[in-house]
Amino acid sequence: MSRPSVRETIAAARARMVQEQAKSKSIRGGAADEREAFIGSNIPGVRKTAPAPRRQTDVEILGHAQKSIKSLIANAKGTGIMNLSSRELTEIPLEIWNMYHVDPDKVVVDFNSTATAWYDAVELTRLIASGNKITHIDARIQEFGALVAIDLRGNQLTSLPEEFSNLQRLAQLNISSNMFAELPPVLLTLTTLVDLQLGGNQLSGTLDPAIAKLTKLEVLDLSSNQLTEIPQELTLLKAVRKLNLSKNKLERFPVSILANMPKLIELEIGDNKLGCLFSGIGELPTTEEGVQGLELPALVRLDARNSGLQRITDIDGVDDSAKPKIAFLAIKELLLSHNLLSNLENLLYVAPQLHYLDLRSNQFTDLPVGVLELPSLRQFDMASNRLEWIPNELGSMYDLTNFMWEGNPIKNIPRTCNNTEALMKLLRQRLTDGPSHADADRMEALSVNSSVPSSPAASSSPFHRSPPSSQSGPLASRGGSASARNNAANDTPTPVASPRKISKNLALSKKALKELTKEEILEACQSPQIALLDFNALTVFPAILQQTVGSTLTQITIHHNKISEFPFTLSFPLLLTLDLSDNVLTSLETVDAGSVAQIGQDNFPSLNELNLSSNQIKEIPLWLPNAFPRLKTLSMARNKITTIDPKSFEGLTVLDLAGNDIGSLPPLLGNIRSIKSLSLDGNVFRVPRRQILEQGTEAVMEYLRGRIPA
């Protein structure tokens, strides 16, 4: 058989090349060919009327050669993440949509090859295409059914395709900074969503009530739109932890929404036109004790800056002390600057953990009612108000490290005193020397208006306590008459009782105390609600507290001492918060289990929060719920706990077990459905994995319930 000529060889090569090109075109094709083939595939949900997208060249799409697309696809197949951010795209490239298409004629199985095979490709779970100019999303998005997170922020989208409804694993969707004028209808079918970012769009008027269908939402951002009203249906979103409504045109925020979001940690409603912080609070039901109020058990941060606020509630014709009470059990930051507020009504009625209070640029003429009762306040901004007088009692707030008062017409503080340290030193010196005539007038009014109930009754409600000291009379007018304030300049001591005796705080922190005496208590304070005994050298819990002021205390802070035994035998009927962290407790098994019920009934019937972190406790007793029947928050982080039993945590809302030596989590813990916040970082167990822990409490509890044997 003769060999082919050179001409025949060239002709055969050209024929093969044409054939390959034809085959390539049938596989790849142009944008129109691809769309036609896709629509003709009879895939359910494909719209046949969608406009054909304009096909971009590879250089237009990615600013690189075709090799750049292949590199992105190869990386995505290995990691499950496709990142197309900030590439000037007007559409998602065709090659991306086809990245999992396999030509059967080109499949080669070579187990000796080191290259990534088609069968090793990871499903796409995250799609990031932020910071582009994308105007529409192709229907082929439904082919990526494993997507968990999509980030399309900073584009030019006005709608989403109906095929989005097939993404039934989608948990995070960020479509902020686009051009949506209304909620995309398909969005309301994504019931698996946990995090929805809609900020910076063109939403206006009343928010679509149908958003309440997304009952698993934990994060909802609607900031920087033009919304004027929030529907009552938002009360159905009971899993929300973070809600951002800032930079809209809201004129009213129904307080019923807050009352029905028990897990809410962060609320941002600044830069609106509210006028009133909590609208409709008078419509809330009363508690079992007949008290009307709002309890926010989980809220940590509230930002309502620059919202035109003139008052806290919309109740008229009632004295502030008679208005509904507000209990912030966990709040740490309260930001209300740049408003028109002149008082806070009962906003600080219960705020034991408040660290930062921002009231800059308002209309206050006095320190707000209740601020001197805040045991944890560290930063306090009262700059640019109308204060003329700073009370000496502010000096007894030992945790306050940053107080800003510039821009006020202060008359009782010299100009040379220009920083917090100098101010606190001056105020404490005045407290030691005794009050001036003006201070005496102010303290007399304060003592009359801050009496403690004579017959307190045990209650689990955070509202069951006497209100913060009223600042009517001379205190409200910055120290009495003008003549009295002028006499203050002479700073003449008068034989009146020490101001500490009328304080609501027993402030004995950082005194190097090894024991506490009755005389020290009575000298410092009478009928206190809060006892501050932290950073001392106490080796036993001072029983004298019960004998002297046990009937009035609602909070005891005694951390950073050397106490080795829990005071089960002492009685504090009104105590809500007890902080025994950073001591040397090794066990809670110091009482007979048979007497536990009596302890819960007589000794700690109201205890709501217990902090035993940073001790040396190795075991949590099963009878703990009986000893503290009203307990909701238990912190036992950084101990030496190795095993836990779910029976120890019945009824808890917040549980912190971080930094222990727990080797495994019992699945039955998932059945304690009252737990809304669970901290487990820093233990030695391997399951649940960190990925599950990072998804939050609900994911961990659901995982544990899934491991309970049938």
Side-chain angles (χ1 to χ4, degrees):
M1 184 176 179
S2 61
R3 299 179 60 183
S5 65
V6 175
R7 180 174 296 180
E8 290 174 334
T9 301
I10 294 174
R14 285 178 176 174
R16 285 195 301 271
M17 182 176 65
V18 171
Q19 189 177 16
E20 288 294 332
Q21 288 176 346
K23 183 183 295 185
S24 175
K25 182 176 181 180
S26 66
I27 294 174
R28 182 182 178 199
D33 294 335
E34 280 290 332
R35 180 174 176 276
E36 182 178 354
F38 184 63
I39 290 177
S41 63
N42 294 321
I43 297 177
V46 175
R47 292 185 297 173
K48 296 179 169 35
T49 58
R54 182 182 69 85
R55 172 68 176 171
Q56 291 176 289
T57 66
D58 294 332
V59 175
E60 285 179 302
I61 290 173
L62 299 170
H64 300 288
Q66 177 73 12
K67 182 171 59 176
S68 178
I69 303 180
K70 293 181 179 180
S71 176
L72 285 170
I73 291 175
N75 183 68
K77 287 183 176 180
T79 64
I81 302 173
M82 174 60 74
N83 191 341
L84 300 171
S85 60
S86 304
R87 295 178 181 270
E88 296 293 321
L89 298 175
T90 59
E91 62 183 16
I92 293 179
L94 182 62
E95 288 81 356
I96 304 301
W97 298 125
N98 291 338
M99 60 184 285
Y100 290 112
H101 290 186
V102 177
D103 181 2
D105 296 333
K106 292 187 176 181
V107 173
V108 177
V109 180
D110 183 1
F111 295 104
N112 295 319
S113 174
T114 58
T116 302
W118 61 270
Y119 47 79
D120 288 330
V122 176
E123 286 190 288
L124 197 66
T125 58
R126 300 179 68 89
L127 174 60
I128 305 170
S130 59
N132 287 291
K133 299 178 181 179
I134 298 172
T135 57
H136 76 280
I137 299 298
D138 198 281
R140 280 168 284 196
I141 187 72
Q142 70 175 351
E143 296 191 16
F144 299 137
L147 280 173
V148 174
I150 297 178
D151 185 353
L152 297 171
R153 69 183 185 274
N155 282 285
Q156 299 175 15
L157 296 171
T158 58
S159 64
L160 295 176
E162 294 177 4
E163 289 72 21
F164 246 82
S165 62
N166 293 321
L167 304 179
Q168 289 303 309
R169 296 185 185 179
L170 194 62
Q172 300 176 3
L173 177 60
N174 191 338
I175 51 175
S176 59
S177 300
N178 277 280
M179 302 172 66
F180 292 96
E182 61 181 5
L183 291 184
V186 70
L187 190 65
L188 305 175
T189 68
L190 301 175
T191 56
T192 56
L193 279 179
V194 174
D195 186 336
L196 177 58
Q197 305 285 333
L198 282 163
N201 279 284
Q202 299 175 10
L203 304 178
S204 60
T206 302
L207 178 66
D208 189 347
I211 197 171
K213 295 179 181 179
L214 307 179
T215 55
K216 292 186 178 181
L217 277 183
E218 295 184 10
V219 179
L220 177 59
D221 186 350
L222 294 162
S223 62
S224 301
N225 281 283
Q226 300 182 42
L227 296 172
T228 58
E229 188 175 352
I230 300 299
Q232 193 68 26
E233 285 78 2
L234 233 62
T235 57
L236 300 176
L237 301 181
K238 298 183 182 299
V240 169
R241 296 183 296 108
K242 294 184 179 181
L243 178 62
N244 191 345
L245 298 170
S246 63
K247 298 181 180 179
N248 277 282
K249 297 182 178 180
L250 299 177
E251 298 181 357
R252 186 175 183 272
F253 183 70
V255 73
S256 57
I257 293 177
L258 280 182
N260 286 278
M261 289 184 173
K263 300 179 183 180
L264 190 65
I265 295 175
E266 184 174 327
L267 173 63
E268 296 192 36
I269 52 175
D271 292 288
N272 278 287
K273 301 179 180 180
L274 295 175
C276 168
L277 182 59
F278 297 136
S279 297
I281 195 170
E283 302 170 5
L284 294 178
T286 58
T287 65
E288 295 178 358
E289 292 79 12
V291 178
Q292 188 177 47
L294 173 66
E295 181 179 345
L296 301 171
L299 192 66
V300 172
R301 185 174 188 270
L302 171 58
D303 185 349
R305 292 175 287 187
N306 193 32
S307 288
L309 296 177
Q310 300 180 35
R311 50 187 181 168
I312 301 302
T313 67
D314 54 358
I315 297 178
D316 296 318
V318 178
D319 185 75
D320 286 347
S321 62
K323 291 183 178 180
K325 310 301 187 293
I326 299 170
F328 291 114
L329 301 182
I331 198 159
K332 297 187 185 307
E333 294 185 21
L334 182 56
L335 311 177
L336 299 172
S337 63
H338 297 89
N339 283 292
L340 300 170
L341 295 168
S342 58
N343 73 79
L344 294 183
E345 301 177 21
N346 284 325
L347 192 65
L348 301 180
Y349 192 83
V350 176
Q353 299 187 49
L354 186 61
H355 290 172
Y356 180 26
L357 178 59
D358 182 5
L359 299 175
R360 176 183 288 262
S361 298
N362 276 281
Q363 306 289 325
F364 289 93
T365 55
D366 298 289
L367 294 188
V369 171
V371 75
L372 297 178
E373 322 294 336
L374 299 174
S376 304
L377 194 63
R378 299 172 185 174
Q379 296 187 59
F380 184 20
D381 192 344
M382 284 293 293
S384 301
N385 277 275
R386 299 180 180 180
L387 297 179
E388 294 183 9
W389 196 274
I390 296 180
N392 295 341
E393 292 85 351
L394 188 70
S396 66
M397 302 182 72
Y398 288 94
D399 286 335
L400 186 61
T401 57
N402 192 3
F403 176 59
M404 288 158 278
W405 72 93
E406 67 272 11
N408 284 284
I410 303 294
K411 296 182 178 179
N412 71 325
I413 303 297
R415 294 183 179 180
T416 54
C417 184
N418 56 12
N419 60 69
T420 302
E421 184 177 358
L423 174 67
M424 300 302 277
K425 182 177 181 180
L426 173 64
L427 296 178
R428 289 166 187 164
Q429 184 62 46
R430 290 179 178 177
L431 284 173
T432 302
D433 294 342
S436 63
H437 291 298
D439 287 331
D441 291 340
R442 296 169 64 248
M443 292 187 314
E444 182 180 358
L446 182 60
S447 63
V448 169
N449 290 292
S450 60
S451 59
V452 177
S454 58
S455 57
S459 169
S460 63
S461 172
F463 304 116
H464 193 90
R465 49 155 286 191
S466 58
S469 305
S470 173
Q471 293 184 5
S472 58
L475 183 56
S477 58
R478 297 166 300 284
S481 64
S483 60
R485 292 197 299 272
N486 290 336
N487 291 338
N490 299 325
D491 206 23
T492 305
T494 57
V496 298
S498 167
R500 288 190 183 127
K501 289 189 177 182
I502 58 168
S503 170
K504 289 298 177 186
N505 290 357
L506 175 61
L508 293 174
S509 302
K510 303 177 182 178
K511 301 290 186 181
L513 297 175
K514 294 184 178 180
E515 61 181 8
L516 186 62
T517 66
K518 180 177 180 179
E519 291 72 21
E520 287 173 318
I521 295 175
L522 295 179
E523 176 64 24
C525 181
Q526 292 180 356
S527 300
Q529 293 175 345
I530 298 173
L532 305 175
L533 298 167
D534 46 298
F535 291 99
N536 282 294
L538 299 171
T539 57
V540 295
F541 194 98
I544 193 66
L545 272 181
Q546 173 200 315
Q547 302 167 16
T548 310
V549 293
S551 62
T552 63
L553 286 176
T554 62
Q555 177 176 334
I556 299 176
T557 300
I558 195 168
H559 58 77
H560 286 90
N561 279 275
K562 300 178 181 179
I563 297 171
S564 59
E565 186 172 335
F566 192 91
F568 284 109
T569 58
L570 302 183
S571 176
F572 297 95
L574 291 183
L575 192 65
L576 297 174
T577 302
L578 175 58
D579 187 348
L580 268 165
S581 60
D582 289 281
N583 278 278
V584 291
L585 297 171
T586 58
S587 175
L588 297 178
E589 301 279 0
T590 56
V591 293
D592 180 66
S595 62
V596 168
Q598 193 67 29
I599 291 174
Q601 181 178 346
D602 298 337
N603 296 1
F604 295 93
S606 306
L607 192 65
N608 182 271
E609 180 178 349
L610 176 60
N611 190 345
L612 297 174
S613 300
S614 298
N615 280 279
Q616 301 172 32
I617 299 171
K618 298 179 181 179
E619 187 176 358
I620 304 175
L622 298 180
W623 44 255
L624 199 69
N626 294 327
F628 308 116
R630 307 285 186 178
L631 192 66
K632 298 298 180 184
T633 299
L634 176 62
S635 300
M636 299 198 71
R638 299 177 300 282
N639 276 277
K640 296 183 178 180
I641 301 167
T642 56
T643 59
I644 58 175
D645 191 309
K647 294 179 181 178
S648 304
F649 311 124
E650 293 178 354
L652 291 181
T653 301
V654 179
L655 176 60
D656 187 354
L657 295 172
N660 281 283
D661 297 320
I662 300 172
S664 64
L665 293 183
L668 289 176
L669 181 63
N671 281 341
I672 310 295
R673 296 180 181 270
S674 61
I675 295 178
K676 307 302 180 186
S677 177
L678 178 63
S679 299
L680 295 167
D681 289 339
N683 281 283
V684 297
F685 57 79
R686 295 187 177 182
V687 290
R689 295 172 297 172
R690 173 158 295 277
Q691 293 91 325
I692 296 177
L693 294 179
E694 291 176 349
Q695 293 177 30
T697 300
E698 187 171 345
V700 174
M701 301 297 276
E702 185 176 351
Y703 172 84
L704 292 175
R705 286 193 290 270
R707 293 175 62 88
I708 298 175

